[in-house]
Amino acid sequence: PYEDRHGEPVVGMEESYEVGFNIFRVLLARINNGKDLEALYRGFVRLLRNMHESKNTLLSMPNSPTRLECHQELLILLWKTLEENPLFLDFILTRCDVCELVTPICYLMYVSRKDAAQVGLIHICTFILLKLSGERSFGVSLNRPYRTKLPCDLPLFSGSHADLISITLHKIIVNGSYRLVPLYSCFLTIVCNISPYWRSMSLVASVKLVNLFELFSSPKFLYSSEKSYRHLALLLEIFNNIIQYQYNGNQHLVYAIVRRKDSFGRLASLTLAKAIYQCNKAFPKSDEPEYDADAEEAAAQVAAMTVQDVDEGGKPLAAKKGKGFNGAAKADGAEPPPRKKPPRGRFLPNEAWMGEIKRSLPLETCNRLLQHLVPVVDDMCRRKNGVVDEIEILEVFKDITMVGLLPVPHAIVIRKYQPNQYTSIWFTAFMWGVIFLRSQKPPIFDKECIELFQVSNEDESAGGGK
C-alpha cells in the first residue's frame, strides 16, 4: 500500500499489516545517505541551539532569533532517530561535532532542574546522553574545548565539554528537584562511561566530583538504605578510570582527592561497629531517612533501564540488569499514577551488608594513590612552614609517575543503554503527555478520561502548555 515515486512498494504487504507498523519509523530507519544524515543533524543542532541563542540576544535587534517552543518534540524525534537508525548514531559520532548537541542538551537540563513540571524533559535528555556515552568516540569527542556562553548561572570554568556534562549533572544532584533522585545512578553512569577518555579535568569539575563523593559517603546518605553505596561504587570507578588511564593532565582531580583524604580513609577503615554507631547517630529512632534508595528503586518500575557492561570493543562482559531508574516523571505537568511507598523498617548495617560494601567499593587505586602522594604534600608543607601554593603542588604532581605504584590497570567497562519494555512504556507516556499539553488551545482531549498518566496543574496561572 505504500509506494515510492516510481510506483514500487516501500514495504511488503505482510509487513505493513503487522501490529505496531509505522511507515514513518520504517523510512526513518532507512535513511543512509550522507547528505540526508547531515541535513538531519544540522537541523537538530540549529533548532536545539535556538533555546539558548534566543536568550543570548535582544529580540528587538534585527535578525535576532525568535524563540521556538518545540524543544520537547525535537528531543523526542532525536531520541527516536538514535533508536531507529544506527547509521545516524555512527554518523554524528564520527563525521560531526557531537558537542554541538551536548551543549543545548546540558542547558535544557540545567535550567529545568528545579521545575517539577520538567522532570520528563530531564529524563529524555538523560536517556540521550546515556546512549551516546556508551560509544568510545563520544567520550573522545568531549575533549573539545568548551567556549560557549550559556544564559544561566553555570559556574565559570575553563575546560572541555566533558566538564560541562559533569558540572551540569552535579548541579542537578545537589540543587535539583527531589523527583530526580532515581536518576542519580544514571547521571553517574554517564560520567563513568566517558571518564577513561577524559584527558584534562577542570578544577571546578574536579572539586565537584569529590564533593559528590563526600555527599554520598556521609552517614545521612550512606545509611539511608541498604543499596545507597552503589553511587559511591560508580564515583570510585570514575576516579580509578582517570587515575589509571589519564593520570597525566588530571592533576586537579588528584589534588582534590588528596585534600579530601579523610573521606577516603573513613570509608576504607569502616567496620560494622562504626557503621552501626554512625547509622544510629545519623538516624535516631524517631527519624526517617531523607533519602530511601530502596523505596525509590521499587517505585522505578515504569521506566527501569537495563544497562549492559561491555568492553571497549563492544563485547558483552556480563549481561545484567542495572539498578532501576525512576520514570514516574511529569511531562510538563503530566505524570504516571503515583505509587505508595511500601512499609519497611529502618535500615541497620549488618555483616552481610559490610561484606557487600567491601566487595563493591573499588578503593584500592585511590588508597595506593594517597599512600604515595600524601607524604609528598606533607613534606612540602613542612619545608615551607605550611605556606605552599597550590600551583607548586600541581607542578610536583605533574612530575610524579605512578607507574609501578598503582594496581594493574583494570579493563575499561562501558555500560551501554539497552531498550526494554519499561523505558518503552515511559517514553509512550511522556510522548502522549507532550501531545496532550500541546493540544490545549482548543482542548482536544478530556483529561478526566486519560488513564495513561495523571494531569496536575503546577501553576494555575501558567496555562496548559508551559
Side-chain angles (χ1 to χ4, degrees):
Y2 301 100
E3 299 179 349
D4 59 19
R5 59 184 178 180
H6 303 296
E8 298 293 331
V10 175
V11 294
M13 186 70 69
E14 294 182 1
E15 183 181 353
S16 64
Y17 283 109
E18 290 180 359
V19 176
F21 173 77
N22 187 314
I23 186 62
F24 298 105
R25 290 175 61 182
V26 172
L27 295 177
L28 184 64
R30 291 185 179 182
I31 298 176
N32 57 10
N33 183 279
K35 290 184 178 180
D36 294 336
L37 294 173
E38 174 73 16
L40 262 179
Y41 175 74
R42 296 315 318 170
F44 281 127
V45 170
R46 185 179 70 255
L47 294 175
L48 285 174
R49 285 169 57 177
N50 171 268
M51 291 301 297
H52 62 84
E53 289 181 345
S54 61
K55 284 196 171 185
N56 267 336
T57 57
L58 297 174
L59 295 179
S60 58
M61 296 292 291
N63 301 321
S64 59
T66 302
R67 184 178 176 86
L68 303 176
E69 295 293 343
C70 60
H71 51 284
Q72 292 189 100
E73 291 87 341
L74 280 169
L75 291 170
I76 290 173
L77 182 58
L78 174 59
W79 172 250
K80 293 308 295 182
T81 306
L82 292 170
E83 281 275 88
E84 301 289 341
N85 194 328
L87 288 177
F88 180 71
L89 176 61
D90 181 70
F91 180 82
I92 66 175
L93 291 175
T94 57
R95 300 180 60 182
C96 302
D97 182 4
V98 73
C99 296
E100 293 180 313
L101 275 180
V102 170
T103 300
I105 288 175
C106 286
Y107 170 74
L108 288 171
M109 295 177 73
Y110 192 90
V111 298
S112 305
R113 68 187 187 278
K114 293 183 180 180
D115 190 350
Q118 300 287 343
V119 173
L121 172 69
I122 294 183
H123 272 72
I124 193 77
C125 290
T126 304
F127 291 171
I128 291 172
L129 289 179
L130 181 62
K131 186 170 184 66
L132 292 173
S133 71
E135 305 295 329
R136 179 186 181 276
S137 50
F138 178 72
V140 174
S141 299
L142 291 178
N143 287 299
R144 291 189 175 96
Y146 169 76
R147 297 190 177 94
T148 307
K149 174 62 177 174
L150 295 175
C152 58
D153 59 341
L154 191 74
L156 294 177
F157 69 95
S158 176
S160 63
H161 286 79
D163 294 290
L164 174 64
I165 291 178
S166 177
I167 293 170
T168 300
L169 298 181
H170 167 271
K171 191 70 171 181
I172 295 174
I173 291 175
V174 301
N175 191 28
S177 169
Y178 74 94
R179 294 175 180 270
L180 299 174
V181 168
L183 280 180
Y184 287 179
S185 292
C186 194
F187 294 156
L188 295 176
T189 299
I190 293 170
V191 181
C192 190
N193 282 346
I194 66 177
S195 59
Y197 319 107
W198 201 339
R199 293 174 194 156
S200 181
M201 187 184 296
S202 70
L203 174 62
V204 176
S206 302
V207 171
K208 292 189 180 300
L209 278 180
V210 178
N211 285 347
L212 281 183
F213 182 84
E214 281 197 321
L215 170 67
F216 290 136
S217 63
S218 64
K220 277 285 187 182
F221 194 97
L222 183 59
Y223 305 117
S224 63
S225 78
E226 187 176 357
K227 298 294 184 181
S228 293
Y229 65 84
R230 69 180 186 269
H231 302 300
L232 283 175
L234 284 170
L235 275 169
L236 285 170
E237 189 172 337
I238 293 169
F239 298 152
N240 293 347
N241 285 337
I242 294 175
I243 292 170
Q244 292 277 21
Y245 293 100
Q246 301 290 344
Y247 178 83
N248 294 327
N250 278 296
Q251 285 74 33
H252 286 303
L253 177 64
V254 173
Y255 182 51
I257 292 174
V258 171
R259 289 192 62 179
R260 309 294 176 85
K261 60 183 183 295
D262 292 340
S263 297
F264 292 87
R266 282 193 296 269
L267 199 59
S269 62
L270 186 65
T271 62
L272 181 58
K274 287 181 182 179
I276 294 175
Y277 172 77
Q278 292 173 1
C279 181
N280 289 329
K281 186 177 180 181
F283 300 109
K285 292 183 179 180
S286 59
D287 287 359
E288 279 292 323
E290 297 176 3
Y291 167 77
D292 187 344
D294 293 338
E296 292 289 353
E297 193 166 330
Q301 297 302 316
V302 178
M305 290 170 40
T306 300
V307 176
Q308 185 180 26
D309 292 354
V310 301
D311 59 19
E312 277 197 289
K315 297 179 180 178
L317 295 178
K320 64 179 181 178
K321 284 195 174 184
K323 303 299 181 184
F325 302 113
N326 187 11
K330 293 188 178 181
D332 265 359
E335 64 175 357
R339 302 179 60 149
K340 292 185 178 179
K341 180 178 177 179
R344 60 184 296 274
R346 183 171 65 86
F347 166 71
L348 192 66
N350 52 42
E351 288 286 357
W353 181 82
M354 278 301 303
E356 181 67 23
I357 198 173
K358 292 293 184 182
R359 288 190 298 270
S360 301
L361 299 184
L363 280 163
E364 185 180 6
T365 300
C366 289
N367 286 340
R368 294 269 194 98
L369 180 83
L370 291 171
Q371 287 170 9
H372 183 70
L373 295 183
V374 169
V376 173
V377 176
D378 290 342
D379 182 61
M380 289 182 64
C381 293
R382 280 195 302 269
R383 285 189 283 106
K384 299 199 175 184
N385 298 321
V387 183
V388 182
D389 191 87
E390 291 185 1
I391 298 178
E392 296 180 46
I393 297 177
L394 293 175
E395 289 298 325
V396 170
F397 285 173
K398 284 182 181 179
D399 297 332
I400 293 177
T401 177
M402 299 302 295
V403 176
L405 299 173
L406 297 175
V408 176
H410 57 281
I412 295 177
V413 177
I414 303 298
R415 294 171 177 83
K416 287 201 171 191
Y417 165 80
Q418 294 292 317
N420 58 73
Q421 60 176 334
Y422 300 112
T423 50
S424 178
I425 293 171
W426 178 88
F427 181 81
T428 300
F430 174 69
M431 183 177 66
W432 279 104
V434 173
I435 294 172
F436 171 80
L437 291 169
R438 296 296 195 224
S439 307
Q440 293 301 297
K441 297 180 180 179
I444 299 176
F445 305 101
D446 182 1
K447 65 180 181 181
E448 302 298 331
C449 299
I450 294 176
E451 297 181 1
L452 183 61
F453 50 79
Q454 286 188 339
V455 180
S456 59
N457 294 324
E458 288 293 327
D459 187 355
E460 294 291 339
S461 63
K466 231 179 199 177

